[in-house]
Amino acid sequence: MPEFAAQPVPPMRIAFDAAAATLSPEGPTLTRRMSDLEGLFADHDAWRDAAEGENPVVYSVVSSPVPEEDRELPQSITTIQPGTTGGEFWMTKGHQHPNHQGEIYLGLHGAGGLLMFDGERTEWIDMAPGVIGYIPPGWAHRSVNVGDEPYSFLAVYPGGAGHDYGWVLEHGMGHRVIAGDSGFSLTDYTR
Amino acid sequence: MPEFAAQPVPPMRIAFDAAAATLSPEGPTLTRRMSDLEGLFADHDAWRDAAEGENPVVYSVVSSPVPEEDRELPQSITTIQPGTTGGEFWMTKGHQHPNHQGEIYLGLHGAGGLLMFDGERTEWIDMAPGVIGYIPPGWAHRSVNVGDEPYSFLAVYPGGAGHDYGWVLEHGMGHRVIAGDSGFSLTDYTR
């Protein structure tokens, strides 16, 4: 039955520890330091001071062994550290899928948010453990840690969707997530 | 920016309760009774007696509101009741994706297994809470409850993958999962 011959990726058993925010076995890990986030915070001077100073790790992404290839369905766990730069909560770079396909995030630990932007409209989903945030095809998305401990979530996404980070640099994300006396607020993205 | 205009499915916040095996809000629910499983158990007489007798619910599938459409990424929770028919553990019908795409299952409750068959090879993954089973494109898949309580799992799958149940009726699943004195065993699928 050659029409159903297996693809190169074998069936896999992956241990998912929601409390520890780990996948085992692991695939590649991506680490984003402040210096990797140029052009994303409104306060460029505050960003540069942080990047040229301690240059902290802002977030990391640990992948499962399922590769980012068309027709596969990889997973990853992102952990965003708590912090602000120029009053703006720490966040992921954000991206658009060049090949428009949906994605889900499942909150695992901490308090975060899922910011989505379709070029005109902004949507925000409060994320917490046990919340699934659904990102429909065509919506750029960014995650934000709005708490004072690490925020972690599991992502499941089609391997052929791709990541376009330039779209966010060009179009923004509609709103910024600003720290206030009692939590956070969303403000217009003035460019 | 019409090239990034939103698709008809909006961003959504879905509450996922792993312990209760629920999604909220819910989409459609599918219920499979014994009478829906014709031709799947080796012991046809035992199947017919059960289907024409109490005709129990063997499994149910509750979906999230994300629709099964191309480019979307729907989710569902399947719960298989414990039981055997002719010595064979209760199971899902099993299917192949006509549009070959990967899928993940996450074990939530109970003791189960993920049986995969690519037309030549059989793979079996022991499923338990916290285990992700990865189904690569091209592998037909069936879930089996091998315990004495309900077995539940979350599925995440591309909305355009489709479900071909006829493939399993035609080709089988390679092996059957048989109850024994100390758990289960896999036996060749004699047709």
Side-chain angles (χ1 to χ4, degrees), chain A residues 12-90:
Chain A
M12 292 185 211
R13 184 182 198 273
I14 300 161
F16 165 54
D17 185 333
T22 57
L23 295 167
S24 177
E26 279 184 7
T29 295
L30 179 71
T31 301
R32 299 283 197 197
R33 291 185 175 273
M34 188 60 77
S35 55
D36 297 315
L37 304 184
E38 184 168 7
L40 299 178
F41 291 99
D43 187 337
H44 184 78
D45 291 343
W47 167 78
R48 192 183 50 214
D49 288 350
E52 293 181 354
E54 291 189 2
N55 196 24
V57 171
V58 178
Y59 65 98
S60 58
V61 186
V62 55
S63 301
S64 90
V66 177
E68 291 185 351
E69 294 173 5
D70 192 34
R71 298 188 175 278
E72 306 292 345
L73 192 65
Q75 317 95 50
S76 64
I77 294 177
T78 299
T79 299
I80 309 175
Q81 299 302 317
T84 61
T85 294
E88 203 169 345
F89 277 114
W90 285 5

Side-chain angles (χ1 to χ4, degrees), chain B residues 168-182:
Chain B
V168 172
L169 287 171
E170 183 178 354
H171 299 287
M173 283 296 297
H175 286 72
R176 295 187 179 279
V177 186
I178 305 297
D181 290 339
S182 57

Side-chain angles (χ1 to χ4, degrees), chain B:
Chain B
M1 278 166 282
E3 73 272 26
F4 292 110
Q7 306 299 308
V9 176
M12 292 183 211
R13 185 182 198 274
I14 301 160
F16 164 55
D17 186 332
T22 58
L23 296 167
S24 176
E26 279 184 8
T29 294
L30 179 72
T31 300
R32 300 284 196 198
R33 291 185 175 272
M34 188 60 77
S35 54
D36 298 314
L37 305 184
E38 182 167 10
L40 299 178
F41 291 98
D43 187 337
H44 184 79
D45 291 342
W47 166 80
R48 192 183 51 215
D49 288 349
E52 294 181 354
E54 292 190 1
N55 196 21
V57 171
V58 178
Y59 65 98
S60 58
V61 185
V62 54
S63 301
S64 92
V66 176
E68 291 186 351
E69 293 174 5
D70 193 33
R71 298 189 173 277
E72 306 292 345
L73 192 65
Q75 317 95 51
S76 64
I77 294 178
T78 299
T79 299
I80 308 175
Q81 299 303 318
T84 60
T85 294
E88 203 169 346
F89 277 116
W90 285 5
M91 58 193 176
T92 61
K93 295 177 79 163
H95 62 266
Q96 178 65 269
H97 295 159
N99 179 6
H100 290 182
Q101 299 195 65
E103 178 167 3
I104 66 165
Y105 286 173
L106 170 63
L108 302 179
H109 186 267
L114 169 52
L115 180 67
M116 289 176 269
F117 183 54
D118 73 346
E120 295 175 353
R121 290 170 296 173
T122 301
E123 292 279 347
W124 172 264
I125 293 180
D126 286 311
M127 295 292 293
V131 171
I132 291 176
Y134 184 63
I135 304 157
W139 289 77
H141 38 289
R142 161 179 287 169
S143 289
V144 185
N145 186 344
V146 298
D148 52 14
E149 56 184 332
Y151 162 57
S152 297
F153 63 92
L154 175 73
V156 184
Y157 55 101
H163 297 80
D164 181 355
Y165 298 102
W167 192 91
V168 172
L169 287 171
E170 183 178 354
H171 299 287
M173 283 296 297
H175 286 72
R176 295 187 179 279
V177 186
I178 305 297
D181 290 339
S182 57
F184 67 91
S185 60
L186 269 63
T187 65
D188 277 350
Y189 207 103
T190 47
R191 301 176 48 78

